[in-house]
Amino acid sequence: MSIEIPFTKMHGLGNCYVYIDLVSQLIDIPSYSDLAVKAADAHTGIGSDGLILIVPSNRADIMMRIFNKDGSEGKNCGNGLRCVAKYAYEHGLVNRKSFKIETLSGVVDAEVHLKDGQVDLVTIDMGKPVLDRKRIPMKGGDQEKVIDEPISFNDQTFNITAVSMGNPHGLFFVEKIDEAPIHELGPFLADHHPAFPEGLNVGFIEKIANDAIEYRVWERGSGMTQACGTGACAAVAASVLTGRLSMDETNTVHLAGGDLYIKWLSDSQHVLMTGGATTICKGIFYL
Ligand SMILES: N[C@H](CCC[C@H](N)C(=O)O)C(=O)O
């Protein structure tokens, strides 16, 4: 007997997930990890970068749990948070335009911006970037922070800057984003590299203006995606740390799927992310 699971498919700049509302409905799902793998399959499932659950929270208005395409659970998801905020407001899970969402890496503040009564853009206060090597986590090396640190791959040396937004990101600066070695370094570092015991989201950055970068990503657990919200925040932090962008500026991050607007505040050290969230479809998944 299959289990009927109502779902909503949503995307943030093309980074799409299957969303299941477990606040409004109780569904006994044997394994969230298995469901993520099944639902993400483009041929036998719905097709997505993974699964996001909206669940009750006793620390915030609601909680977001995110599972990658391979079934691994992530600790944060920027594009997911914007879509969860849109869903929660439009489905009456919250009754205010500003509210709090719990994630496995902490509680964030969300604010929805309306256009014609619908949620158009969403701003998330993503909190403080973590730069301490041990909390990325990254093994090896003796400097507290990982900034432009050489890492070897196939007799070549690349300089990595590591930032956690509650989930681990390794950033590489390139001259031309279209020539970034994403299909080489991505799989090499993302899921099983000994220096990164919790894996790594691998991002590439090309500076295009004093307030704008191009950014592409190979995600831990999902591979190439159209966009990565936590990655875009990490990319701005890495760009500020290496003198390419400035704090307190609204920086535009151009991703394959669209643009995010990201500001790293010097007073609170928090990173604010603003961008779109889109509902694609609703349906019933038979597990
Ligand atoms: N693959 C990530 C989770 C999804 C992050 C991304 N889709 C975003 O929008 O931040 C991880 O395992 O840390």
Side-chain angles (χ1 to χ4, degrees):
M1 179 70 177
S2 62
I3 304 170
E4 293 193 2
I5 304 175
F7 72 87
T8 302
K9 185 172 177 181
M10 303 179 79
H11 77 84
L13 310 187
N15 183 207
C16 63
Y17 292 90
V18 172
Y19 290 75
I20 297 173
D21 173 354
L22 295 179
V23 172
S24 312
Q25 53 187 352
L26 286 177
I27 307 172
D28 183 14
I29 297 169
S31 162
Y32 295 143
S33 176
D34 290 349
L35 175 58
V37 174
K38 290 188 173 86
D41 189 299
H43 304 288
T44 59
I46 300 163
S48 73
D49 295 320
L51 170 72
I52 286 183
L53 307 176
I54 305 171
V55 301
S57 168
N58 55 23
R59 291 177 60 200
D61 293 278
I62 48 176
M63 180 175 188
M64 173 189 79
R65 290 184 67 183
I66 181 248
F67 294 81
N68 294 305
K69 187 183 283 190
D70 68 355
S72 62
E73 185 165 9
K75 292 186 177 166
N76 204 358
C77 180
N79 290 319
L81 280 165
R82 298 196 315 276
C83 289
V84 165
K86 174 184 174 74
Y87 181 97
Y89 183 82
E90 291 180 350
H91 289 79
L93 304 189
V94 296
N95 56 14
R96 308 179 309 281
K97 287 193 279 189
S98 296
F99 48 90
K100 294 184 181 297
I101 305 174
E102 181 183 359
T103 73
L104 286 184
S105 63
V107 176
V108 298
D109 290 319
E111 180 183 6
V112 299
H113 311 287
L114 304 183
K115 187 176 179 183
D116 304 329
Q118 293 286 303
V119 174
D120 175 38
L121 293 174
V122 181
T123 298
I124 306 283
D125 178 341
M126 296 293 286
K128 298 180 183 178
V130 169
L131 307 176
D132 179 346
R133 176 191 307 266
K134 293 189 297 296
R135 295 175 59 205
I136 300 295
M138 180 176 178
K139 286 186 174 176
D142 50 15
Q143 300 293 319
E144 181 199 350
K145 296 177 183 169
V146 185
I147 298 178
D148 271 341
E149 190 166 307
I151 195 164
S152 297
F153 170 73
N154 279 359
D155 300 330
Q156 288 180 279
T157 299
F158 298 89
N159 290 334
I160 188 171
T161 298
V163 177
S164 171
M165 293 305 298
N167 59 348
H169 292 271
L171 289 315
F172 298 88
F173 293 97
V174 295
E175 289 302 312
K176 292 186 182 308
I177 200 73
D178 294 340
E179 297 171 9
I182 192 162
H183 293 278
E184 295 79 14
L185 275 181
F188 174 64
L189 294 171
D191 296 304
H192 306 295
H193 192 283
F196 302 101
E198 293 182 15
L200 191 71
N201 297 287
V202 186
F204 299 86
I205 303 167
E206 176 189 344
K207 175 178 176 177
I208 51 175
N210 288 335
D211 62 356
I213 56 175
E214 288 279 354
Y215 165 69
R216 299 292 182 271
V217 64
W218 182 281
E219 284 198 31
R220 168 181 69 170
S222 291
M224 280 285 282
T225 60
Q226 288 289 296
C228 178
T230 51
C233 295
V236 168
S239 300
V240 169
L241 287 169
T242 55
R244 291 175 172 87
L245 294 179
S246 304
M247 294 192 98
D248 299 319
E249 288 285 333
T250 296
N251 295 293
T252 302
V253 180
H254 300 292
L255 302 103
D259 296 346
L260 285 175
Y261 305 97
I262 304 208
K263 182 185 288 191
W264 188 6
L265 301 173
S266 54
D267 53 2
S268 65
Q269 291 293 304
H270 282 212
V271 176
L272 303 183
M273 168 191 63
T274 297
T278 305
T279 302
I280 299 169
C281 62
K282 288 179 177 291
I284 304 285
F285 184 67
Y286 296 94
L287 180 64

